[in-house]
């Protein structure tokens, strides 16, 4: 079958092609077909950030189409994509308008992030072959006529990647970022330190990376990012309007640090490195001066590498730390972050340490666990912003089903349907909808040894979390969502993104 030849299969309707569902979508006219003379026009004096979005879009389009896609300042080309900063301020930081007429597809947005999101909507209206990283000979680059007005439901739409249990190289994390962008996800929490590995060079404590980063779960080789590599990754994500939130877990989940520096242990003897998968056994010591020097130095270096506002201190499962010691160390960490101009982010246990208003608290409870729900309510009362990562819906390291060779099941299996059937606004009784800042999908990697496995767990469920976070509450129709997923299948295949063939989805429907 020729590419672009859709004989014998359904073509997704407009609404089915888009994931996440936009706020409003109207069909309008026949649309247009791009050709070798098509250009990307940023206008005479492009506002900051417009060129970067244009170059990114050109990069995406050049290889599959084989066209030059010059980025130009004003054009009379017969067919063009126009990117313009402007439009109603009510579209906010990330909203946009997209209009596809007979000659021009125009994205208008008050800010560059909106231009990027609008460009992703346009991308999803092009045939799946646009996702190929090779020239797709013979494809027709048509876009249907539409008017889209869109903005996100929540400001935070996040994924967490655990590069501590198993390490991922910079180029692998970048590929993961590439797969986040079409889903309009905007935050990547990188879990950089845990019992099994320390993954970021800290110049004042070099053994953290060189010794504490050398292994992974199972005892195989680990790895760590140099500060240059890490800064490059953060910049790569920023160009795509994805903010990296570095996560240095403390005071628990710190065996890799304790094993690297004997002075962090009251006994003066460093424990062995750990490559198993238990949690909750390690802790920094609240009575040691070295602990506070360590926190100052590490968070200082991490903050300096972080252009975003947030730095996560994890703070979960500190089962070997007394409540008072926990509070002392978390309060200290928060003071250090504030001194460096950063806002604290942590798992819901940090609510017990009463961090400042505006801190981000990630709720990771299982529906019905009262103690966790109470910490979420406490966070809301204290003026913290909640990001919802319910383990029984949003933990993408949970097995898809009982037969899944990958993943854990302590929160149960999470099917594609199950990952989509929840609402952040009503998830925890007693948490007012106004306290919810967004959604978070963690991918812990105890059982995931490489990027292929990570993708297999993340997709397609991550798309559902993205839609829950972006689209208005009324848009969350399950049957429609399963068809939207089917329409994404050929796109992930073309892009080389691995995904779970969920039995609920008619994957072959669109190709
Ligand atoms: C709990 S979730 C943890 C992680 C594990 C995860 C496995 C959280 C804040 N802590 O240390 O990797 O379960 O699902």
């Amino acid at each position: 079958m020729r590419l672009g030849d859709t004989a014998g299969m359904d073509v997704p309707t407009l609404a089915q092609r888009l994931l996440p569902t936009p706020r409003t979508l109207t069909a309008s006219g026949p649309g247009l077909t791009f050709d070798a003379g098509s250009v990307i026009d940023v206008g005479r004096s492009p506002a900051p950030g417009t060129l970067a979005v244009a170059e990114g879009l050109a990069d995406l389009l050049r290889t599959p189409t084989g066209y030059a896609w010059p980025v130009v300042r004003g054009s009379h080309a017969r067919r063009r994509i126009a990117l313009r900063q402007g439009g109603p301020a009510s579209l906010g930081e990330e909203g946009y308008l997209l209009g596809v007429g007979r000659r021009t597809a125009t994205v208008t947005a008050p800010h560059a992030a909106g231009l990027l999101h609008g460009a992703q909507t346009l991308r999803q209206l092009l045939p799946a072959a646009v996702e190929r990283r090779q020239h797709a000979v013979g494809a027709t680059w048509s876009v249907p006529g539409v008017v889209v007005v869109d903005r996100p439901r929540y400001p935070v739409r996040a994924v967490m990647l655990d590069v501590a249990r198993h390490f991922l190289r910079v180029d692998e994390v970048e590929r993961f970022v590439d797969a986040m962008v079409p889903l309009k996800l905007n935050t990547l929490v990188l879990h950089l330190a845990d019992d099994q590995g320390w993954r970021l060079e800290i110049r004042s404590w070099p053994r953290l990376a060189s010794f504490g980063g050398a292994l992974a779960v199972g005892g195989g080789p680990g790895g760590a990012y140099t500060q240059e590599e890490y800064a490059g990754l953060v910049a790569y994500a920023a160009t795509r309007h994805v903010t990296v939130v570095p996560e240095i877990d403390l005071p628990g989940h710190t065996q890799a640090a304790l094993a690297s520096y004997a002075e962090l242990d009251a006994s003066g003897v460093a424990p062995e490195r750990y490559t198993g998968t238990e949690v909750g056994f390690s802790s920094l010591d609240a009575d040691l001066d070295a602990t506070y020097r360590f926190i100052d130095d590490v968070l200082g270096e991490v903050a300096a590498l972080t252009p975003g506002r947030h730095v996560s201190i994890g703070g979960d499962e500190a089962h070997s730390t007394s409540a008072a010691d926990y509070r002392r160390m978390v309060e200290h960490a928060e003071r250090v972050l504030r001194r460096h101009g950063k806002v604290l982010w942590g798992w819901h246990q940090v609510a017990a340490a009463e961090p400042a208003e505006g801190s981000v608290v990630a709720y990771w409870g299982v529906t019905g666990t009262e103690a966790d729900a109470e910490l979420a309510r406490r966070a809301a009362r204290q003026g913290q912003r909640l990001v919802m990562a319910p383990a029984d819906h949003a933990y993408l390291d949970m097995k898809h089903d009982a037969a899944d060779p990958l993943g854990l099941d302590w929160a149960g299996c999470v099917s594609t349907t199950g990952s989509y059937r929840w609402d952040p606004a009503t998830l925890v009784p007693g948490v007012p909808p106004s306290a919810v800042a967004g959604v978070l999908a963690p991918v812990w990697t105890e059982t995931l040894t490489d990027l292929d496995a990570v993708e297999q767990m993340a997709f397609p469920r991550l798309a559902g979390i993205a839609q829950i976070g972006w689209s208005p509450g009324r848009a969350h129709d399950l049957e429609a969502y399963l068809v939207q997923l089917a329409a994404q299948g050929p796109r992930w295949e073309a892009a080389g993104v691995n995904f779970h063939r969920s039995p609920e989805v008619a994957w072959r429907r669109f190709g």
Side-chain angles (χ1 to χ4, degrees):
M1 186 169 60
R2 238 166 46 96
L3 265 170
D5 177 358
T6 51
M9 51 171 132
D10 276 353
V11 177
T13 66
L14 277 179
Q16 290 167 349
R17 291 187 208 197
L18 300 180
L19 200 179
T21 299
R23 207 156 271 258
T24 69
L25 166 71
T26 319
S28 97
L32 62 82
T33 301
F34 294 112
D35 58 26
S38 298
V39 303
I40 299 178
D41 173 9
V42 292
R44 297 234 165 270
S45 42
T50 305
L51 271 178
V53 173
E55 290 297 348
L57 183 58
D59 262 358
L60 177 85
L61 295 172
R62 279 179 190 134
T63 304
T65 62
Y67 307 155
W69 290 104
V71 174
V72 301
R73 298 181 180 225
S75 159
H76 297 289
R78 270 195 325 117
R79 303 274 184 267
R80 58 191 189 125
I81 297 171
L83 303 179
R84 295 286 187 276
Q85 281 192 48
S90 59
L91 290 169
E93 279 295 315
E94 295 189 285
Y96 66 91
L97 305 172
L98 168 66
V100 178
R102 285 169 175 276
R103 292 174 42 134
T104 310
T106 307
V107 183
T108 311
H111 300 279
L115 289 181
L116 177 98
H117 296 315
Q120 301 313 310
T121 300
L122 178 63
R123 171 183 187 174
Q124 290 184 342
L125 292 171
L126 282 159
V130 77
E131 302 299 335
R132 290 197 164 200
R133 296 297 97 218
Q134 299 153 21
H135 185 191
V137 184
T140 305
W141 305 107
S142 298
V143 191
V146 288
V147 176
V148 176
V149 184
D150 201 9
R151 66 187 156 85
R153 181 183 188 193
Y154 292 114
V156 180
R157 302 171 311 279
V159 193
M160 191 222 68
L161 265 190
D162 171 9
V163 295
R165 271 55 177 271
H166 283 102
F167 185 62
L168 293 172
R169 296 185 315 266
V170 166
D171 63 294
E172 294 174 313
V173 178
E174 289 177 352
R175 264 182 60 197
F176 193 82
V177 170
D178 291 344
M180 290 170 61
V181 170
L183 299 173
K184 301 185 171 76
L185 295 161
N186 66 359
T187 305
L188 175 63
V189 181
L190 266 190
H191 186 74
L192 291 165
D194 211 306
D195 292 318
Q196 299 86 347
W198 187 284
R199 306 305 181 201
L200 176 65
E201 175 195 10
I202 301 295
R203 291 186 179 152
S204 50
W205 297 71
R207 262 173 71 83
L208 291 172
S210 65
F211 183 78
L215 303 178
V217 163
Y225 312 120
T226 66
Q227 292 202 355
E228 285 79 11
E229 286 170 335
Y230 180 77
L233 169 58
V234 169
Y236 181 95
T239 306
R240 289 151 184 81
H241 294 277
V242 170
T243 303
V244 174
V245 176
E247 178 162 291
I248 302 292
D249 215 331
L250 55 90
H253 290 276
T254 41
Q255 185 82 354
L258 300 170
S260 303
Y261 285 96
E263 64 203 272
L264 291 175
D265 198 284
S267 69
V269 180
E272 292 287 305
R273 286 179 292 192
Y274 181 73
T275 58
T277 60
E278 296 297 315
V279 296
F281 58 88
S282 58
S283 182
L284 295 171
D285 188 324
D287 293 326
L288 291 178
D289 290 343
T291 294
Y292 299 95
R293 251 194 305 118
F294 170 83
I295 293 175
D296 291 1
D297 293 345
V298 169
L299 293 184
E301 290 193 36
V302 169
L305 287 165
T306 304
R309 300 179 60 214
H310 298 104
V311 171
S312 174
I313 61 150
D316 55 310
E317 299 173 322
H319 304 323
S320 318
T321 318
S322 72
D325 284 357
Y326 177 83
R327 193 171 170 136
R328 254 172 92 191
M329 290 185 275
V330 170
E331 278 176 353
H332 183 82
E334 185 178 26
R335 265 197 305 280
V336 175
L337 289 180
R338 201 169 321 128
R339 194 168 354 110
H340 291 282
K342 299 301 169 191
V343 174
L344 179 133
W345 176 306
W347 299 104
H348 65 235
Q349 282 83 0
V350 296
E354 300 181 12
E357 279 182 33
S359 303
V360 174
V361 169
Y363 165 79
W364 61 283
V366 173
T367 310
T369 46
E370 256 317 293
D372 294 338
E374 185 44 39
L375 281 166
R377 284 190 286 271
R378 180 163 175 191
R381 281 197 304 274
Q382 292 170 169
Q384 281 115 39
R385 306 171 72 215
L386 279 155
V387 166
M388 295 304 196
D392 48 343
H393 298 287
Y395 262 43
L396 303 185
D397 63 316
M398 292 301 123
K399 290 177 180 294
H400 292 278
D401 52 52
D404 197 338
L406 299 174
L408 304 175
D409 60 5
W410 64 261
C413 296
V414 175
S415 67
T416 297
T417 301
S419 65
Y420 192 65
R421 271 202 180 136
W422 62 285
D423 182 358
T426 56
L427 181 72
V428 182
V431 167
S434 60
V436 179
V439 295
L440 167 66
V443 189
W444 301 100
T445 58
E446 284 95 331
T447 67
L448 311 177
T449 56
D450 58 18
L451 181 65
D452 252 14
V454 165
E455 289 178 347
Q456 166 79 19
M457 296 308 272
F459 299 97
R461 295 180 294 188
L462 182 55
I465 310 296
Q467 175 146 299
I468 288 172
W470 178 279
S471 306
R474 62 178 158 69
H476 299 165
D477 177 75
L478 177 65
E479 290 312 312
Y481 168 63
L482 296 176
V483 180
Q484 287 170 282
L485 278 186
Q488 291 304 309
R491 311 187 77 87
W492 285 321
E493 274 165 13
V497 174
N498 197 17
F499 63 100
H500 175 68
R501 267 58 173 186
S502 328
E504 302 101 302
V505 178
W507 292 107
R508 303 258 53 97
R509 176 162 174 182
F510 303 119

